[in-house]
């Protein structure tokens, strides 16, 4: 009995059946693509922080945008700064206002008015204390000032001499001197000089 069982175990097992032969595909037909099998992945959590964090961040961003918009609108509505007029522009405008007075004011009053315009211009333009100085003091102060050419110094000297004569000696007190003083003041402010003569 035992010998029979040993013989059965020792006998070779029958060969496995062969798989059925595949049906050949027609010529030119591509082989079918085997189905892709991907392992199932765990879902990704895109919200990695608590909800309140995103709410606070959104509120802060909204406040910052509102502040930025406020200042941009304020900046856009702010008018451009207006540059103050230059001393030359102011002096020329004041001399133009004096032009109609050449035939109306007496030479004493006119000489004071036109002299004040010229002194204010010199003080603002060249930072020389012309309003606080007498004519000799002023002429001495600009004697070596590089901002004044020899022609300008001579013109100012002649101008102030005529004004002082009218003020203190009442010399040449007629209306023709008003036009002379005005033209000399215009010439100095405009800066037109040829060979020491105002043009």
């Amino acid at each position: 009995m035992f010998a029979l069982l040993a013989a059965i175990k020792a006998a070779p097992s029958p060969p496995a059946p062969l798989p059925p032969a595949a049906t050949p595909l027609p010529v030119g037909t591509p082989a079918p693509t085997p189905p892709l099998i991907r392992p199932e992945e765990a879902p990704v959590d895109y919200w990695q922080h608590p909800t309140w964090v995103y709410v606070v961040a959104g509120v802060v961003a909204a406040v910052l945008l509102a502040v930025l918009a406020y200042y941009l609108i304020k900046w856009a509505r702010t008018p451009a700064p207006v540059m103050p007029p230059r001393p030359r522009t102011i002096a020329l405008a004041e001399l133009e206002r004096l032009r109609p007075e050449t035939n109306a004011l007496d030479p004493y009053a006119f000489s004071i008015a036109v002299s004040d315009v010229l002194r204010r211009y010199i003080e603002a333009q060249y930072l020389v204390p012309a309003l606080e100085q007498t004519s000799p003091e002023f002429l001495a102060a600009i004697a070596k000032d590089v901002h004044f050419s020899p022609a300008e110094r001579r013109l100012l000297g002649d101008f102030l001499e005529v004004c002082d004569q009218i003020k203190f000696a009442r010399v040449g007190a007629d209306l023709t001197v008003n036009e002379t003083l005005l033209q000399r003041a215009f010439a100095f402010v405009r800066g037109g000089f040829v060979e020491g003569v105002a043009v």
Side-chain angles (χ1 to χ4, degrees):
M1 175 94 180
F2 291 107
L4 180 60
L5 291 175
I8 293 173
K9 287 183 178 180
S13 58
L18 296 173
T23 305
L25 296 173
V27 178
T29 304
T33 303
L36 297 178
I37 300 175
R38 296 181 179 178
E40 186 176 337
E41 298 179 356
V44 178
D45 184 11
Y46 291 101
W47 301 90
Q48 298 179 359
H49 302 287
T51 305
W52 67 266
V53 173
Y54 297 100
V55 172
V56 171
V59 171
V60 171
V63 170
L64 291 177
L65 286 175
V67 171
L68 178 63
Y70 169 78
Y71 281 106
L72 284 176
I73 293 172
K74 184 179 179 181
W75 174 79
R77 291 181 177 176
T78 302
V82 179
M83 297 298 293
R86 302 178 65 181
R88 177 172 281 110
T89 304
I90 296 172
L92 290 175
E94 291 178 349
L95 291 174
E96 282 295 342
R97 283 195 291 271
L98 282 176
R99 191 185 293 278
E101 304 295 330
T102 53
N103 296 322
L105 286 179
D106 66 276
Y108 178 78
F110 189 84
S111 67
I112 293 176
V114 72
S115 175
D116 285 346
V117 171
L118 195 57
R119 285 174 179 267
R120 282 196 300 272
Y121 164 69
I122 293 171
E123 189 163 299
Q125 182 74 13
Y126 303 104
L127 304 179
V128 176
L131 290 171
E132 293 81 15
Q133 294 176 327
T134 64
S135 296
E137 290 172 343
F138 169 70
L139 293 174
I142 68 169
K144 296 182 180 180
D145 195 319
V146 295
H147 295 103
F148 298 90
S149 67
E152 290 174 320
R153 293 191 194 100
R154 285 194 294 274
L155 178 64
L156 285 173
D158 294 341
F159 177 88
L160 294 175
E161 183 180 0
V162 173
C163 288
D164 288 346
Q165 288 176 350
I166 295 172
K167 287 180 187 177
F168 304 115
R170 301 297 178 103
V171 175
D174 56 61
L175 294 180
T176 59
V177 77
N178 291 354
E179 183 64 28
T180 301
L181 290 174
L182 184 65
Q183 292 306 318
R184 288 182 180 178
F186 266 118
F188 181 83
V189 174
R190 289 171 178 159
F193 299 92
V194 178
E195 296 297 330
V197 179
V199 295

